[in-house]
């Protein structure tokens, strides 16, 4: 398996009894229950070895690549559409895969990478780069599926922002939100000014006085009285 090619072995369990009990039994055998759907075919219940799946999940590209599932010797081209993890331990508990149909567009959530942070004038001036998305839903043919979308922020000044429509898209790729009738061209990243806490001088003096122990304040007062008597 390489970062550009992911292949998993699976077993068809459609003939087996389904349900929470069956899923628990699979997990005790270090297998992850999953399902393949779409492509004009009936959903197929499968199981995958947990160590194979966990190894693949280490790569961000796994979530935006066409995957090969070998189910009892038959290959299926799929994309992962949903992954359920254990809420505390984080290991995979169930996965949904969608079949790929040649020539049929698919909807996928693709990671967004923000490049050039260190070079941005806004950062050098003390600004804060606020990224508002980690992935974006796109629509494209399977052959045009990008691994990620890149946004170059190297020229951002304080006060600048980028919207969805500012993303340079690969050929054949459209952003789902911008293709809707009620399209909303939302902000995906902006450069905020530095945050400085202004301290009132009078309040600061009061705080300084409060920090002096009462015994020391009393001693200072006594010394002042003695100086006055002299």
């Amino acid at each position: 398996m390489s970062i550009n090619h992911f292949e998993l072995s699976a077993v068809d369990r459609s003939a087996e009894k389904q349900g929470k009990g069956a899923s628990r039994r699979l997990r005790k055998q270090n297998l992850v229950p999953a399902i393949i759907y779409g492509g004009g075919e009936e959903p197929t219940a499968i199981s995958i070895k947990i160590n194979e799946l966990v190894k693949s999940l280490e790569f961000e590209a796994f979530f935006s690549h066409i995957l090969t599932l070998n189910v009892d010797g038959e290959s299926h081209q799929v994309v992962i559409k949903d992954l359920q993890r254990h809420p505390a331990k984080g290991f995979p508990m169930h996965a949904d895969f969608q079949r790929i149909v040649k020539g049929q567009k698919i909807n996928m959530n693709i990671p967004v990478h923000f490049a050039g942070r260190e070079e941005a004038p806004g950062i050098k001036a003390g600004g804060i780069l606020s990224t508002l998305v980690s992935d974006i839903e796109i629509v494209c043919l399977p052959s045009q599926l990008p691994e990620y979308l890149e946004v170059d922020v190297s020229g951002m000044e304080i006060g600048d922002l980028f919207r969805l429509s500012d993303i340079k898209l690969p050929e054949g790729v459209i952003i789902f939100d911008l293709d809707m009738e009620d399209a909303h061209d939302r902000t995906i990243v902006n450069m905020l000014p530095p945050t400085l806490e202004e301290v009132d001088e009078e309040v600061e003096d009061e705080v300084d006085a409060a920090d002096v122990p009462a015994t020391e304040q009393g001693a200072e007062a006594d010394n002042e009285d003695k100086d006055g008597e002299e």
Side-chain angles (χ1 to χ4, degrees):
M1 179 187 65
S2 70
I3 194 170
N4 294 316
H5 181 72
F6 296 91
E7 189 168 342
L8 297 171
S9 298
V11 175
D12 189 334
R13 60 182 186 89
S14 300
E16 301 175 10
K17 185 178 180 181
Q18 307 299 314
K20 292 184 178 180
S23 295
R24 281 195 293 268
R25 285 193 294 273
L26 285 173
R27 295 186 190 109
K28 288 181 179 179
Q29 300 171 42
N30 292 321
L31 298 171
V32 179
I35 190 167
I36 308 174
Y37 67 90
E41 300 180 34
E42 289 294 320
T44 303
I46 61 173
S47 60
I48 303 171
K49 291 182 179 179
I50 190 169
N51 60 332
E52 287 190 25
L53 184 56
V54 167
K55 187 176 180 180
S56 296
L57 293 175
E58 293 175 356
F59 298 93
E60 180 188 56
F62 182 76
F63 296 90
S64 55
H65 265 67
I66 296 175
L67 320 172
T68 299
L69 280 181
N70 294 316
V71 184
D72 295 341
E74 183 180 354
S75 293
H76 298 260
Q77 298 298 298
V78 301
V79 291
I80 188 166
K81 295 296 290 184
D82 188 45
L83 178 71
Q84 297 175 22
R85 296 180 183 267
H86 189 281
K89 300 180 180 179
F91 60 78
M93 296 184 67
H94 191 277
D96 290 357
F97 297 95
Q98 180 182 338
R99 293 185 182 93
I100 292 299
V101 179
K102 188 176 181 180
Q104 187 177 96
K105 291 185 176 182
I106 57 174
N107 288 50
M108 284 288 292
N109 280 73
I110 300 297
V112 180
H113 292 178
F114 297 94
R117 294 171 184 255
E118 293 77 12
E119 294 82 15
I123 292 292
K124 294 179 179 179
I128 301 170
L129 189 74
S130 174
T131 56
L132 305 177
V133 298
S134 58
D135 57 74
I136 292 173
E137 185 175 3
I138 63 169
V139 182
C140 65
L141 292 171
S143 60
Q144 298 170 321
L145 185 64
E147 183 177 325
Y148 58 85
L149 297 177
E150 184 172 276
V151 177
D152 184 3
V153 300
S154 61
M156 291 187 72
E157 304 271 2
I158 292 176
D160 288 350
L161 58 81
F162 277 111
R163 300 183 184 276
L164 286 174
S165 59
D166 295 318
I167 300 176
K168 293 181 180 179
L169 299 170
E171 184 179 353
V173 176
I174 61 175
I175 294 176
F176 179 74
D177 283 353
L178 297 181
D179 197 44
M180 303 289 287
E181 289 185 6
D182 56 345
H184 176 51
D185 192 12
R186 56 195 170 99
T187 300
I188 59 171
V189 58
N190 52 23
M191 186 69 74
L192 302 176
T195 55
L196 297 175
E197 294 185 4
E198 295 184 2
V199 180
D200 191 306
E201 290 183 4
E202 293 182 4
V203 173
E204 192 174 44
D205 291 340
E206 291 176 5
V207 172
D208 290 343
D211 289 338
V212 179
T215 53
E216 292 184 15
Q217 292 183 32
E220 290 177 1
D222 290 341
N223 290 334
E224 289 177 1
D225 290 340
K226 291 178 180 178
D227 292 341
E229 290 175 359
E230 293 175 358

